[in-house]
Amino acid sequence: TTNHLRHVESMATMPSGAGNIPHLNAIVLGEALACEENDLIFPSDDFSRQAHVPSPLKYLEMYKRSIEDPAGFWSDIASSFYWKQKWDQQVYLENLDVRKGDIRIEWFKGGITNICYNCLDSNVEAGLGDKIAFYWEGNEPGVDATLTYIQLLHNVCQLANYLKDIGVKKGDAVVVYLPMLMELPITMLACARIGAVHSVVFAGFSAESLAQRIVDCKPKVVITCNAVKRGSKVIHLKDIVDAALIESSQSGVSIDVCLTYENQLAMKKESTKWKEERDVWWQDVIPKYPTTCAVEWVDAEDPLFLLYTSGSTGKPKGVVHTTGGYMVYTATTFKYAFDYKPSDIYWCTADCGWITGHSYVTYGPLLNGASAVIFEGAPNYPNPGRCWDIVDKYQVTIFYTAPTLVRSLMRDSDEYVMRYSRKSLRVLGSVGEPINPSAWRWFFNLVGDSKCPISDTWWQTETGGFMITPLPGAWPQKPGSATFPFFGVQAVIVDEKGVEIEGECSGYLCIKSSWPGAFRTLYGDHERYETTYFKPFPGYYFSGDGCSRDKDGYHWLTGRVDDVINVSGHRIGTAEVESALVSHPQCAEAAVVGVEHEVKGQGIYAFVTLVEGVPYSEELRKGLILNVRKQIGAFAAPDKVHWAPGLPKTRSGKIMRRILRKIASRQLDELGDTSTLADPSVVDQLIALADV
Ligand code: WTA
């Protein structure tokens, strides 16, 4: 087709000055692309023509500049934001090499700004005051609300004034435990406005997890709501917060104020348990405050938020993002990866309790003056057509979701999709885990009517924003590949020795040099930051992911290479689940691995050794799972508990997870060498108990 030829031609005629940037050299190899025709999906000419980045050539030009002159590239972009005072002479300062001293990343240091001002006041001043900032769609069809930019600004200011009034100051932490009500982004923005550091805890975490986070960051106030309805279930969030606050006070962290929003549709005030001296109804106090609030101007390197995430060992890590670089990076990635235009209606299905909700529900869209949909409910309630109903209702043009949602809807009849027009859609997005080619094709062909490019965005809580992502319209896509690095991102693949490998290869995904959205430290533990991310491969940031690069330079993420399990796009550390299991008095030892799961991507598979003499029972199995639900949250509950008289260990006592993974996935002919085990007979015992 002519379309195809045009792309290949333009690729082939790219300047060969791509130099030593390996993936660019690969793009230049136009003939290689031609051979893979069947795997390539080309954007339409019409799409490319209107796109911000219409061709590989344009990407090449911008990418090259971003790598050769990061300071110039990013300060040009940063100049379009409002800064009370410009940053210092030096745009960025970095050391990513542990051999050269402490790891340090700074962008726009000395620049004075406020991200809330840039999200709201700037847009209102630019004439967008009456534009819808958020369309809110409730759990029940027909229940909805909107906020314009000016209304959002007023609401944010009222809460900001209240927070100041109760003594919250710049640098203080605020813990937020809210579902997807508009009050969640309102709270984030109010904190940002006064320089307070928000720490949003996903409202699916248990009381114990919430308590752990409260104890770690010692907030001035906790903000929640009484209850929420998700699908047909009512969840009593305030009860969970009450339990968490009892627990945190036992660890010496007591909270004076618990601001509680009355979510009337889920639960009435009267039936909410209340502690008079501590609890305050949002609706009783917030509306009384003035709708204007002076901004607290902060340094670009002042912290904006903490967000806890799981690692392979120990307790969750408080990832720290600062203000200036994060602001510039989330806004820019949003604009290019979704080819955002002012007429778009954008919907991201993520919850603000995760990084995706921070960067691409709240900050990225608002910084671009976008109209975004926020959805409180569940994607299959009241039926599996709900998402497409919402797409039609708001005329959504950009729809960003997770592969697990795609796979779960794929199992239902296509009729649920076809019932709706979906004509408004022009860009689709995916995040959280690799999207398998069959889910990619269903999403592309059916949901997007074969006309919407899919931005499969690879990134992490730590990276703040997109790192490897398609730019829709720029180049052909391959189903399941996150394609090429974003501007300013030097993605490299290294071998076990930390040596960069080029061309067609696979290995560990690392990043060379900093980017503005990078996290700056782990809260209260800079040493763990260095050890976890910068020591494994000196000179690089190590992502924890495996990746391969094909002969055309496309990147294919292959999943975590550490002991982190990705369940429905949620990161869960095996160590956390194991510790919840062994806290059960009848559990002697536990080892947890991830197994392939049709919908969730990965499921949690737990091998459990009981205390001597305790018999296996269904009740015990339930009790063990309940322990995990209570200590982490329902989303971390093991899918399978496998009774284990013993675990396969080396002579030095190390559990051989490789063998456990094979047993869990029933690949029994691929167990490999078991002769180095202290007791090779445990393997046969485990296999014998597989279906007990
Ligand atoms: C995985 C979510 C493949 C990856 C934004 C990463 C992905 C972890 C993709 C981060 C993708 C995320 N393709 N894998 N498009 N996006 N991942 O911190 O393993 O919750 O390390 O951030 O999710 O999860 P996190």
Side-chain angles (χ1 to χ4, degrees):
T1 72
T2 54
N3 202 5
H4 170 145
L5 285 177
R6 185 178 60 77
H7 272 276
V8 176
E9 262 166 36
S10 70
M11 289 204 175
T13 55
M14 271 183 205
S16 52
N20 39 28
I21 302 171
H23 78 268
L24 287 189
N25 285 329
I27 302 193
V28 175
L29 297 175
E31 353 148 20
L33 285 171
C35 309
E36 289 236 341
E37 186 179 3
N38 295 334
D39 293 323
L40 291 171
I41 300 202
F42 290 86
S44 70
D45 279 339
D46 284 348
F47 192 102
S48 288
R49 210 174 291 120
Q50 61 81 55
H52 289 306
V53 184
S55 64
L57 204 64
K58 180 69 185 168
Y59 166 76
L60 190 70
E61 179 194 312
M62 291 177 73
Y63 184 81
K64 263 190 78 180
R65 169 154 192 247
S66 75
I67 300 305
E68 287 165 5
D69 175 23
F73 181 87
W74 288 111
S75 60
D76 279 358
I77 292 177
S79 300
S80 67
F81 292 79
Y82 180 79
W83 300 83
K84 181 93 185 149
Q85 186 184 308
K86 219 185 150 192
W87 50 88
D88 299 342
Q89 203 71 33
Q90 196 147 7
V91 176
Y92 72 102
L93 198 154
E94 67 178 21
N95 173 38
L96 267 57
D97 192 338
V98 277
R99 295 163 301 195
K100 295 186 185 146
D102 296 345
I103 300 297
R104 185 170 164 197
I105 299 172
E106 287 174 0
W107 281 82
F108 311 114
K109 178 96 180 141
I112 305 293
T113 186
N114 183 292
I115 194 170
C116 175
Y117 186 92
N118 277 285
C119 285
L120 302 179
D121 308 59
S122 295
N123 285 319
V124 170
E125 275 158 36
L128 298 182
D130 293 330
K131 181 170 177 177
I132 303 281
F134 290 132
Y135 290 98
W136 180 78
E137 171 79 5
N139 182 63
E140 303 298 328
V143 176
D144 52 29
T146 57
L147 280 181
T148 61
Y149 271 87
I150 188 98
Q151 289 169 331
L152 181 58
L153 174 61
H154 289 166
N155 285 327
V156 165
C157 286
Q158 288 184 313
L159 179 61
N161 282 321
Y162 168 78
L163 292 174
K164 281 208 296 204
D165 213 22
I166 62 166
V168 179
K169 292 191 192 62
K170 181 180 167 196
D172 288 342
V174 172
V175 164
V176 187
Y177 190 73
L178 280 169
M180 287 301 272
L181 302 172
M182 289 197 276
E183 282 65 27
L184 179 43
I186 288 172
T187 302
M188 295 163 74
L189 291 159
C191 290
R193 191 163 192 90
I194 63 170
V197 180
H198 56 75
S199 172
V200 181
V201 179
F202 171 58
F205 274 109
S206 67
E208 287 186 37
S209 289
L210 176 58
Q212 191 178 43
R213 286 155 175 78
I214 290 172
V215 170
D216 195 58
C217 73
K218 301 174 187 60
K220 273 268 165 67
V221 47
V222 172
I223 302 182
T224 188
C225 77
N226 53 351
V228 66
K229 261 191 95 179
R230 247 183 95 79
S232 47
K233 265 202 317 226
V234 178
I235 305 158
H236 294 166
L237 297 180
K238 176 68 164 47
D239 289 351
I240 298 171
V241 173
D242 286 349
L245 293 182
I246 290 174
E247 209 171 311
S248 67
S249 70
Q250 283 162 357
S251 306
V253 178
S254 55
I255 301 299
D256 298 335
V257 183
C258 176
L259 182 67
T260 309
Y261 183 83
E262 184 196 5
N263 192 12
Q264 288 193 6
L265 294 169
M267 188 185 201
K268 293 274 178 262
K269 234 176 170 170
E270 298 71 46
S271 19
T272 309
K273 290 200 203 84
W274 208 244
K275 207 173 152 192
E276 209 54 61
E277 65 281 15
R278 181 196 66 198
D279 301 341
V280 179
W281 285 115
W282 175 301
Q283 285 92 331
D284 284 353
V285 290
I286 305 304
K288 295 186 184 141
Y289 281 86
T291 54
T292 57
C293 172
V295 160
E296 178 81 35
W297 299 106
V298 300
D299 190 279
E301 283 301 333
D302 280 333
L304 173 64
F305 66 86
L306 292 181
L307 185 58
Y308 289 85
T309 189
S310 294
S312 32
T313 54
K315 56 179 185 138
K317 307 172 279 196
V319 166
V320 177
H321 281 286
T322 57
T323 305
Y326 177 84
M327 171 173 83
V328 171
Y329 199 69
T330 52
T332 310
T333 45
F334 177 83
K335 172 179 165 185
Y336 287 104
F338 294 132
D339 189 46
Y340 171 76
K341 307 284 161 50
S343 55
D344 279 314
I345 307 286
Y346 165 81
W347 179 23
C348 167
T349 62
D351 190 289
C352 284
W354 308 106
I355 190 68
T356 307
H358 282 62
S359 302
Y360 302 108
V361 173
T362 305
Y363 293 114
L366 293 177
L367 287 164
N368 281 278
S371 296
V373 176
I374 293 181
F375 178 39
E376 181 193 35
N380 50 7
Y381 178 82
N383 65 56
R386 185 70 190 274
C387 289
W388 324 123
D389 183 33
I390 295 174
V391 164
D392 281 359
K393 174 171 173 183
Y394 297 102
Q395 294 291 295
V396 170
T397 59
I398 306 171
F399 177 64
Y400 185 37
T401 192
T404 183
L405 181 139
V406 174
R407 286 190 302 261
S408 92
L409 297 181
M410 230 171 113
R411 292 199 308 183
D412 294 301
S413 161
D414 287 356
E415 208 271 313
Y416 282 113
V417 186
M418 272 130 63
R419 197 182 282 174
Y420 300 94
S421 125
R422 294 161 281 105
K423 267 211 172 67
S424 54
L425 290 173
R426 59 179 208 95
V427 177
L428 301 174
S430 171
V431 61
E433 53 171 313
I435 179 162
N436 45 308
S438 65
W440 196 100
R441 288 183 193 281
W442 184 85
F443 199 26
F444 182 80
N445 292 328
L446 193 69
V447 175
D449 272 334
S450 307
K451 68 173 174 33
C452 309
I454 298 180
S455 285
D456 174 6
T457 60
W458 176 81
W459 61 296
Q460 309 177 292
T461 305
E462 292 87 343
T463 68
F466 305 149
M467 298 296 280
I468 300 184
T469 176
L471 299 181
W475 52 70
Q477 293 196 269
K478 295 191 185 191
S481 165
T483 73
F484 301 105
F486 191 72
F487 305 130
V489 174
Q490 296 192 53
V492 299
I493 298 176
V494 304
D495 64 15
E496 339 40 87
K497 295 199 193 74
V499 178
E500 266 179 56
I501 36 186
E502 295 188 4
E504 212 179 327
C505 63
S506 69
Y508 302 97
L509 180 60
C510 288
I511 312 291
K512 191 156 71 172
S513 292
S514 74
W515 61 100
F519 67 141
R520 307 302 201 241
T521 190
L522 292 179
Y523 183 68
D525 202 348
H526 199 69
E527 199 180 316
R528 189 175 178 199
Y529 172 72
E530 300 190 335
T531 310
T532 312
Y533 300 101
F534 298 93
K535 284 202 179 136
F537 300 109
Y540 304 99
Y541 163 75
F542 172 45
S543 65
D545 279 316
C547 182
S548 59
R549 203 192 284 122
D550 69 18
K551 63 183 195 309
D552 302 326
Y554 283 65
H555 292 77
W556 300 79
L557 277 301
T558 52
R560 301 289 305 192
V561 294
D562 54 10
D563 292 322
V564 171
I565 306 179
N566 190 329
V567 180
S568 301
H570 302 156
R571 271 164 76 168
I572 298 167
T574 49
E576 287 171 71
V577 181
E578 288 162 4
S579 116
L581 290 168
V582 299
S583 71
H584 191 288
Q586 292 174 314
C587 175
E589 200 173 11
V592 165
V593 296
V595 279
E596 210 174 298
H597 187 285
E598 202 192 329
V599 173
K600 299 196 262 187
Q602 278 191 305
I604 299 182
Y605 195 109
F607 292 89
V608 172
T609 307
L610 296 176
V611 168
E612 196 69 47
V614 174
Y616 312 133
S617 73
E618 228 13 69
E619 201 188 320
L620 188 50
R621 199 192 300 264
K622 284 192 191 126
L624 286 160
I625 293 174
L626 190 65
N627 253 33
V628 180
R629 297 173 74 100
K630 269 172 42 192
Q631 287 184 28
I632 305 175
F635 63 91
D639 297 275
K640 164 90 185 170
V641 172
H642 185 140
W643 303 119
L647 293 170
K649 290 181 189 167
T650 60
R651 289 188 196 99
S652 58
K654 198 172 170 301
I655 295 174
M656 291 190 73
R657 287 172 192 277
R658 173 180 62 79
I659 294 176
L660 292 177
R661 279 189 205 106
K662 294 292 176 197
I663 296 175
S665 56
R666 305 291 187 266
Q667 294 167 297
L668 301 179
D669 46 350
E670 293 170 29
L671 290 175
D673 184 11
T674 55
S675 64
T676 56
L677 290 174
D679 176 9
S681 74
V682 296
V683 174
D684 292 328
Q685 293 173 8
L686 282 176
I687 294 172
L689 285 168
D691 298 309
V692 175

